Amino acid sequence: MRYLLIAALAASPAVAQQAADAVDPEAATGLVQDAPAPVTSQDWMVAAANPLASEAGARVLREGGSAADAMVAVQAVLGLVEPQSSGLGGGAFLVYYDAETGEMTTLDGREKAPLAATPTLFQVDGDTMGFWDAVVGGLSVGTPGTPMLMEEAHRRWGTANWGGLFEDAIAHAEDGFAVSPRLAMLVADGRDRLETFADTAAYFYPDGEPIAEGDTLTNQAYADTLRAIAAHGTDAFYSGEIAEGIVAAVRANTGVTGVEGLLSMEDMAAYDVVERPAVCAPYRGAEVCGMGPPSSGALTVGQILMMLEPHDLAAMGPDDPDAWRLIGDASRLAFADRGLYMADSDFVPMPRLLDAGYMAGRAALLFGDDALPEVSAGNPPWDHAALDLAPGWSPSMPSTSHISIVDADGNALSMTTTIENGFGSRVMAPGGFLLNNELTDFSFATHDDGRPVANRVEPGKRPRSSMSPTIVMRNGTPELVVGSPGGSRIIGYVAKTIVAYMDWGLDPQEAVALPHLVNRFGTYDLEEGTTAEDLAGPLGEMGFETNVRDLTSGLHVVAVTDQGLVGGADPRREGVAIGE
Ligand code: GLY
């Protein structure tokens, strides 16, 4: 079905950009929405969260740059126009397929806990802090990794001149860019926390009023930072004036707890991007590959898909409640393992969570008719003496951004990038970018009942992530490049999009627009205002508790087909796919 559809799409114009058509919800009778046609192209494609960012990437690709080059240009613009989601003050994970060598590599640019941090970072007198008390202020700031990740990707796979990749972002920062509806809405809604710190307030509330949709916003400090990085590489970020500004901002902006942040110049100097093996799970004859620990993304998406593998979801289709029973309970089982076992594996040994025999045993739990009454972590095999751990909890909020790119040489890039919460720690560095609150992705509790929590804070450790940048490989080449923001719901958004494309034959735009049903810990979240709500009755009869709510993913997808590239950008946010 998918291939017939793609063949029809091949007649689309050679240069294509996403239409921003609104979907008429009345037109949809089942779960599949009447989505706009996907973007198609022959040579390259970029899909990112803001049109200016996608256009910056498109310019690089049009001029013959690689996917890595385009990512640098996209990320530099995103940090300006979508400052709430990602930027130089944050961290990222990148999955890269190199067409020349046929190799898949992942780069870990996750923030690290300061060397002075201890497991009780978010405790006062033995009690854990309130979540928001911990988020807002310098205490939650980890050493940023995104700038070094950009440079490392360019060093490995870049073909364009490094300095030139920042031109669009510098021009937008100096000449001004139009504030997008989403940025304006989030600034208006987020006033209480954003106004905690004077420099942040001055940028988002000039003259005391929130920046509004369509206002022209400039950021000279950001332009100056980009010029320094363009000229001198990221040494200019991790040492010297920019680094000193970051450390000073972390120390000075303490938030309501009054506890000073710990980031130091030593942390900045010691930061490293790490190459890690891709984590791949078999699914429908393909390999679903992504980011391993410290992200829980590829392991949890992989577990969900491996548990679904024995079931004929294609025959069921997206409107069958039993398909959602299987997806929901596979997710609950995977999230139970995530909570107990997954953390930064440089610090905590982990069992073999994708072991085929173990996964077959977990999948067997799904052969019933009703929701599982109880779900707990399993007993996967270890290469190491088994650890007796306690489950840890950390909320991981729905900010973040995702970039999917395929270049003219067939290189594919999937990168999810974040400052964690919307607007991160709310602390603005003097260099014109917000600093992350990634350390609140650690568990605030260190132990439970005498057993340690794997995702506790430790000096130099990276907090567990849910980011799931993914490349689906078939016969050794990319088939689908996908990822999303959305906190720990990222995992559900990505797994569902893969099922929608691979099992249900939806095109990439239909797949990203498909209403969400996400289950992590037992309650089934159904996307408000969509036909997902119609499944509340049948899922309730199976024993699920359901909850209707906003589910604001930001999926960006590029599919590689025999007829060319096919892209999708999430209608829930402002992104576009552009291809030629
Ligand atoms: N801070 C979002 C994540 O890493 O999952």
Side-chain angles (χ1 to χ4, degrees), residues 164-339:
L165 300 175
F166 298 91
E167 279 173 10
D168 282 27
I170 291 170
H172 293 314
E174 290 186 332
D175 301 343
F177 66 95
V179 172
S180 76
R182 186 170 170 79
L183 175 57
M185 182 264 289
L186 294 171
V187 168
D189 289 354
R191 187 163 195 154
D192 286 357
R193 295 188 180 115
L194 280 167
E195 282 194 331
T196 310
F197 306 118
D199 291 345
T200 315
Y203 184 63
F204 291 112
Y205 307 91
D207 307 319
E209 290 303 315
I211 53 171
E213 178 183 341
D215 283 358
T216 300
L217 193 61
T218 59
N219 188 339
Q220 187 58 50
Y222 186 66
D224 294 343
T225 297
L226 293 183
R227 275 194 210 288
I229 293 173
H232 306 294
T234 62
D235 280 353
F237 182 91
Y238 288 96
S239 60
E241 204 179 313
I242 298 171
E244 284 161 8
I246 291 171
V247 170
V250 164
R251 301 278 175 150
N253 293 292
T254 54
V256 297
T257 61
V259 183
E260 195 174 282
L262 300 175
L263 193 74
S264 68
M265 291 300 282
E266 290 70 36
D267 293 311
M268 295 296 287
Y271 187 78
D272 56 339
V273 164
V274 182
E275 177 181 343
R276 300 188 187 277
V279 168
C280 299
Y283 190 63
R284 311 292 186 217
E287 291 283 310
V288 177
C289 296
M291 192 72 219
S295 184
S296 61
L299 286 170
T300 315
V301 169
Q303 280 204 345
I304 293 169
L305 295 176
M306 287 177 79
M307 284 185 262
L308 295 174
E309 177 90 329
H311 300 276
D312 191 353
L313 295 180
M316 294 177 191
D319 292 326
D320 186 338
D322 207 43
W324 294 104
R325 174 187 68 78
L326 292 165
I327 293 169
D329 271 347
S331 301
R332 289 170 67 199
L333 289 165
F335 266 88
D337 274 5
R338 173 184 176 275

Side-chain angles (χ1 to χ4, degrees), residues 110 396 400 418 420 438 441 465-467:
R110 183 69 161 170
S396 189
T400 311
T418 189
E420 211 307 281
E438 217 68 56
D441 274 359
S465 174
S466 304
M467 294 196 286

Side-chain angles (χ1 to χ4, degrees), residues 101 163 204 273 282 295 417 549 562 567 580:
T101 62
F204 291 112
V273 164
S295 184
T417 173
R549 53 165 294 147
D562 291 345
E580 280 183 17

